[in-house]
Amino acid sequence: TGLVRRKTIAWGNRLIVSKGTHLLSTSEKLIQEQGFGSTLETGRLKCRALHCGFDPARFQGARAGAGAAVRQEFNFPAESPILLFVGRLDSHEDDALNQKNPGFCLEVARVCAARRQDFRCLLAGGGESMRLRLEARVQAWGLEKHILLIGHRADVPRLMLGADALLLPSLGEGLGMV
């Protein structure tokens, strides 16, 4: 990160230490990476990890027909293996704040498509300008039928049930804890 970013983080951390009572994160590692931990747990600020704080029930269901439904929706061959990426596409690949890494997913999908003609990949996520850039890359590779950027979706649990693999190539810890 640049000097301005480092100064902003340091200023924010000082505010948290002086005004906060509790700091919660997805892991001890992230607490330490953000500059907190045992050395700052003096006074009233208590740091604690809360792992996987969501109800996974909405991601459960019968997989039997889900794959066929997703293949039909996107006009994929009946036996296509489907790789699913879900994450924000709203920042550039070289942006230090972009933790979802859709560019890496595209590279994985390109290799898979070269190995199997029936391979398919879906990238779900918002961020129109980045989606257009990624689609241009897919078109330059000639892989438009293999890799689809499908935008923001409200039916992610259904897509997850229908996919054969879920790729979460985050640059930082978080959803990876799940």
Side-chain angles (χ1 to χ4, degrees):
T1 59
L3 178 64
V4 173
R5 178 87 175 126
R6 287 193 308 269
K7 294 285 186 186
T8 303
I9 290 171
W11 181 72
N13 285 355
R14 282 194 296 275
L15 279 175
I16 291 169
V17 169
S18 68
K19 306 290 183 194
T21 58
H22 293 79
L23 182 130
L24 306 175
S25 183
T26 57
S27 72
E28 294 287 337
K29 180 181 176 191
L30 273 181
I31 291 171
Q32 291 173 358
E33 284 178 3
Q34 291 295 354
F36 296 98
S38 59
T39 58
L40 292 178
E41 290 184 27
T42 57
R44 61 180 196 224
L45 183 64
K46 304 297 179 201
C47 299
R48 185 165 161 227
L50 289 178
H51 300 286
C52 304
F54 68 93
D55 182 5
R58 65 183 254 207
F59 297 99
Q60 298 172 345
R63 283 190 38 93
V70 170
R71 286 174 184 84
Q72 181 179 13
E73 176 182 349
F74 294 101
N75 200 24
F76 291 164
E79 300 300 320
S80 297
I82 300 173
L83 174 66
L84 176 65
F85 168 91
V86 179
R88 290 183 317 274
L89 304 176
D90 57 354
S91 49
H92 299 287
E93 294 167 308
D94 55 352
D95 183 348
L97 298 178
N98 181 6
Q99 296 294 306
K100 296 304 173 195
N101 206 358
F104 178 77
C105 180
L106 283 188
E107 291 296 329
V108 168
R110 181 168 73 150
V111 170
C112 291
R115 292 182 181 179
R116 263 188 91 156
Q117 272 303 109
D118 63 344
F119 170 82
R120 299 297 187 263
C121 179
L122 298 171
L123 282 86
E128 185 65 15
S129 65
M130 185 60 165
R131 185 183 64 77
L132 293 173
R133 288 179 57 207
L134 295 173
E135 279 182 343
R137 186 181 309 171
V138 170
Q139 288 174 355
W141 293 339
L143 294 175
E144 301 95 322
K145 73 176 187 176
H146 295 275
I147 304 170
L148 299 179
L149 286 97
I150 58 176
H152 182 270
R153 297 288 293 233
D155 61 345
V156 168
R158 183 184 71 83
L159 294 172
M160 290 174 74
L161 284 172
D164 297 294
L166 179 62
L167 181 61
L168 301 170
S170 294
L171 299 174
E173 196 173 353
L175 188 54
M177 293 291 296
V178 179

